[in-house]
Amino acid sequence: MFIFGLAVVVKLLTIQFINGDDYRALAEERTVKNVTIPSNRGNVYSVNGNLLATSIPKYDIRIDTKAPKKSVWQKNLGPLCDSLSNFSGKSSSYHREELRKAQAKENRYYLLARDIGYSDYLRLRNFPLLELGAFKGGLIVEQNTKREHPMGGISMRTIGYEREDEDGNITRAGIDGAFGAKYLRGKDGQRWKQKIGKGQWKPIVDYNQVEPEDGYDVYTTIDVNVQDIAHHALLEQLEMYDAEHGCVVVMEVKTGEIRAISNLGKSKAGTYYEKRNYAVWESHEPGSTFKLMAIMAALEDKVIDTATVVDTHMGSKRFYGRSITDTRGYGKISAAQAFEKSSNIGLATIIDDHYSKNPMKFIKILDKWRLNETLGLPILGEGKPNIPRPGDNNWSRNALPSMAYGYNLRLTPLQTLTFYNAVANGGEMVKPRFLREVKELDREIETFKKEVRVKQICSKETIEKAQKMMENVVLQGTGRSLYSEYFSMAGKTGTVRTDYSNFEEWKKDKKYISSFVGYFPVENPKYSCIVVIHKPSIEVGYYGADVTGPVFKRIAQKIFTDTPIIDEIESLEVANVSVKKEFQQFYKTEKVYLTIMPNVIGLPTMDAVALCENMGLKVKMAGVGVVKSQSIPKGDKVKKNQIIVLEI
């Protein structure tokens, strides 16, 4: 007994003094814990203040079927099932059967509703049985925060997300992912809680507490109206040509601000959704859209002029044992015509004749334009450009003529657009920009200004020649089917083979990438735009002018009619037209002119009067028919209640 008692004393002393600290820490861990208080993530807004991404609470409602007493369960089961039936649309008997099965299995975590909003949460917790709470009614409420995109699938990939998996790995996509850590995420708070029994934890007031700091709001450069136009124009064409995927980007010329970016890929079900950020990520052979870079390099180097005669033969020419072909033979044409007609032979001949002995002279011009560098975008995953040079594994004598018409090199759509935007901008190359400012409520945290990549890519003379050639592509070249008398565009078509490493296999199943890139309006460029569509059905069509050109035109046309580029648009002057054309003319003129007097001569009297009165003018006139003259000249600024006399 003495030895046993001595052993007890030794054990007590061991617990108290040797293992005491460990046991005290364990006790505290089981009764007190440090709980993270998540911060509210900042919102993402469009340039005009529309909400693009926000965090909202979502709730899962479950029930512990063992918690309620048997009498309480039986009394409330029927009314609860009736309420659940009204909520879910399923029959009351269905819910009764499922709940009885759950109780028989002693399910303590049965799901009643998942991912419901706050109003539905308040509604469910007042249902019979659930209103009794956690202990008497078995109610279990789990709250989590979900990122919502009010615009739905439109531009979801560009807006992006930031997600963390069970292993702590974080995936950051789009704007939300790029600016999450720095601006949107905020700082989590901390609070000590003490266990009070039955698995419940109670906060310990003012004990080692850190308040959470909400994230900042970011205002992007995206314009929801332009985004909507671009998204649906691209979607319509992808569906028409049964293409694999495509992208479109609209950029403001002067600032580099991205007004719209849409990336759509086909699902297994045949529908299209924001699959990947192709415009930023996908580096591919640009094809004929690279001919602008090639001919501008030769023009700037003064080895040719736009009038230089190039012999394109009759549609086929051998270069170092390999044939380069055109869709048709053009014979001897000028360098400008070779660009406008998109002659592969013409551009390959120009570049090979003047740079084959010193390829690096040509490549150094491309390097000066920074075409060999990424754009340094904050959005992760930008594709790397690949401009080959002598000594590379893929370099041969055929590399240089191939580069002249957009093969044997790689650029992303956004990298290509950045160069075209520089031409539209008079030679100043600006960096594409997705963010305008960061705010905390109304307080400005940071503002983002224009970033210039290259102050002047080439001489004004070369820029003017390039602009004229791009305008002629639409007027008389490969893009002439896109011409519109109502608004001006300039650009370049592109069609390039893809997946052709095994050429014999490719000939059995031909695949192409179609593209169009340019700007509008020609006189004073406001927006630049690129459209790229991969693997359209060749049974329907695959040329850039047919597949991607109409998307570009539709976007330009919609922006002209739906957004206020007011002072730069001519009214449509049509006399003796059909009723349909009269309405279209009236509608467009009404949308375009708000405070500047339009030309109403030739309009039907009714339309002219309605248009003037909508501008706040007082109309004096006599007779019926069409307007013969107007007292306020076209282009004058008008005031409300100003009198205008119309001669009919």
Side-chain angles (χ1 to χ4, degrees), residues 195-412:
K195 193 171 186 179
I196 57 174
K198 293 187 177 180
Q200 302 298 304
W201 294 82
K202 177 183 176 182
I204 302 174
V205 179
D206 297 329
Y207 186 83
N208 201 25
Q209 185 173 339
V210 177
E211 289 296 331
E213 296 178 21
D214 292 345
Y216 297 134
D217 296 330
V218 299
Y219 286 76
T220 70
T221 60
I222 300 294
D223 184 311
V224 292
N225 297 318
V226 179
Q227 179 69 40
D228 186 64
I229 292 167
H231 173 88
H232 286 98
L234 176 65
L235 177 61
E236 182 179 335
Q237 208 72 352
L238 287 170
E239 291 176 337
M240 181 185 296
Y241 283 86
D242 192 28
E244 183 187 86
H245 65 271
C247 66
V248 57
V249 184
V250 180
M251 184 192 296
E252 192 173 78
V253 169
K254 299 295 182 187
T255 64
E257 292 188 346
I258 302 298
R259 288 287 175 255
I261 177 169
S262 184
N263 301 276
L264 297 174
K266 186 193 280 188
S267 68
K268 290 181 180 179
T271 57
Y272 292 92
Y273 69 106
E274 288 264 343
K275 194 173 184 179
R276 293 202 68 165
N277 199 336
Y278 300 110
V280 172
W281 159 74
E282 190 167 33
S283 180
H284 60 84
E285 290 177 315
S288 294
T289 56
F290 193 79
K291 288 173 182 172
L292 180 67
M293 293 75 153
I295 199 168
M296 282 181 64
L299 287 169
E300 184 67 6
D301 206 20
K302 299 192 182 302
V303 296
I304 64 159
D305 190 69
T306 52
T308 300
V309 176
V310 185
D311 188 357
T312 65
H313 294 227
M314 295 311 294
S316 181
K317 182 179 178 181
R318 301 282 290 179
F319 287 81
Y320 309 109
R322 185 173 68 91
S323 293
I324 293 178
T325 60
D326 287 333
T327 52
R328 51 164 291 190
Y330 300 109
K332 292 182 179 180
I333 55 177
S334 69
Q337 288 175 317
F339 177 82
E340 293 158 14
K341 297 178 184 298
S342 200
S343 169
N344 297 334
I345 297 170
L347 269 294
T349 300
I350 290 170
I351 299 304
D352 190 65
D353 283 355
H354 298 286
Y355 296 102
S356 59
K357 294 179 181 178
N358 186 8
M360 281 306 299
K361 188 179 179 184
F362 173 70
I363 292 167
K364 281 180 179 178
I365 298 174
L366 305 181
D367 291 348
K368 187 182 77 170
W369 294 336
R370 301 181 68 177
L371 293 176
N372 61 326
E373 304 173 26
T374 61
L375 297 170
L377 302 173
I379 291 179
L380 302 179
E382 181 185 1
K384 292 182 179 179
N386 180 14
I387 307 293
R389 51 202 69 220
D392 290 352
N393 292 333
N394 60 341
W395 186 266
S396 67
R397 288 192 300 173
N398 272 310
L400 195 64
S402 296
M403 289 172 65
Y405 59 99
Y407 282 81
N408 201 44
L409 59 97
R410 305 181 82 84
L411 293 172
T412 67

Side-chain angles (χ1 to χ4, degrees), residues 16-129:
Q16 182 69 25
F17 297 107
I18 298 175
N19 299 325
D21 291 341
D22 293 336
Y23 284 117
R24 276 188 287 273
L26 183 62
E28 188 170 326
E29 183 182 332
R30 290 181 175 177
T31 57
V32 178
K33 67 178 179 180
N34 196 2
V35 178
T36 298
I37 306 169
S39 60
N40 292 319
R41 194 175 182 86
N43 294 328
V44 179
Y45 292 94
S46 72
V47 71
N48 29 27
N50 300 94
L51 193 61
L52 299 179
T54 188
S55 297
I56 60 173
K58 291 288 187 177
Y59 301 87
D60 291 348
I61 305 297
R62 299 176 182 271
I63 188 170
D64 178 356
T65 60
K66 286 192 68 178
K69 293 181 179 178
K70 188 175 181 180
S71 58
V72 173
W73 175 269
Q74 291 176 344
K75 179 182 177 182
N76 289 279
L77 182 60
L80 172 62
C81 293
D82 292 340
S83 298
L84 289 172
S85 176
N86 291 332
F87 178 80
S88 67
K90 295 179 180 178
S91 67
S92 179
S93 59
Y94 167 82
H95 288 291
R96 187 187 298 269
E97 183 66 25
E98 291 299 312
L99 282 169
R100 281 178 173 167
K101 288 179 184 176
Q103 189 192 37
K105 295 177 181 178
E106 298 186 348
N107 191 332
R108 307 199 68 171
Y109 202 59
Y110 179 75
L111 181 67
L112 295 176
R114 185 190 297 278
D115 275 350
I116 60 173
Y118 184 69
S119 58
D120 285 335
Y121 155 68
L122 292 178
R123 180 183 169 191
L124 257 78
R125 70 171 299 150
N126 287 310
F127 280 2
L129 189 61

